[in-house]
Amino acid sequence: QVQLVESGGGLVQAGDSLRLSCAASGRTFSNYIMTWFRQAPGKEREFVGGISRGGGTTSYTNSVKGRFTISRDNAKNTMYLQMDSLKPEDTAVYYCAATTSYISSRPVEYDYWGQGTQVTVSS
């Protein structure tokens, strides 16, 4: 079992920055591909981006490329999502997820999920 806890969400204005954290406990963090998803009210859960086990490979959805950066610190069992130039359409609950397979945009591929942290961007 892997337990995931997100933190760092909040209310910001358009153009601001925010950094989310995902702290993991349980099994060996470095064994897992880690990913961020988000879900806005009335919408399906959406892939934001993911990072490989060692952190050398990242993948992002087009709408956040150039604005969001995913990183991880395996010594601290933590993944991060640096969000810059935030837009109102980034408003959602952000979830981190873990899998042992590969970076996938499909939520069904992920074995473990956090409870989510709310990000609200006002215009």
Side-chain angles (χ1 to χ4, degrees):
Q1 288 282 348
V2 175
Q3 292 79 42
L4 302 173
V5 178
E6 303 93 339
S7 62
L11 172 63
V12 297
Q13 293 187 332
D16 285 351
S17 296
L18 206 58
R19 188 175 84 154
L20 306 184
S21 298
C22 172
S25 61
R27 297 190 176 179
T28 305
F29 180 65
S30 59
N31 286 346
Y32 292 86
I33 299 288
M34 297 297 297
T35 301
W36 289 97
F37 284 80
R38 65 186 180 185
Q39 189 165 18
K43 295 188 176 182
E44 293 186 351
R45 196 162 293 192
E46 174 191 27
F47 172 80
V48 175
I51 189 166
S52 60
R53 294 174 181 84
T57 300
T58 53
S59 177
Y60 301 93
T61 192
N62 285 339
S63 62
V64 308
K65 282 181 181 177
R67 299 189 299 121
F68 290 12
T69 304
I70 296 174
S71 61
R72 66 190 294 166
D73 186 338
N74 286 343
K76 295 183 178 180
N77 293 342
T78 303
M79 173 181 63
Y80 304 97
L81 178 63
Q82 176 67 41
M83 303 185 292
D84 298 321
S85 303
L86 282 161
K87 303 175 181 180
E89 50 264 44
D90 295 318
T91 295
V93 177
Y94 283 71
Y95 300 89
C96 61
T99 181
T100 56
S101 56
Y102 60 97
I103 300 175
S104 172
S105 62
R106 301 175 65 227
V108 69
E109 299 288 347
Y110 291 83
D111 304 306
Y112 304 104
W113 292 86
Q115 293 300 307
T117 185
Q118 176 71 47
V119 172
T120 304
V121 185
S122 64
S123 57

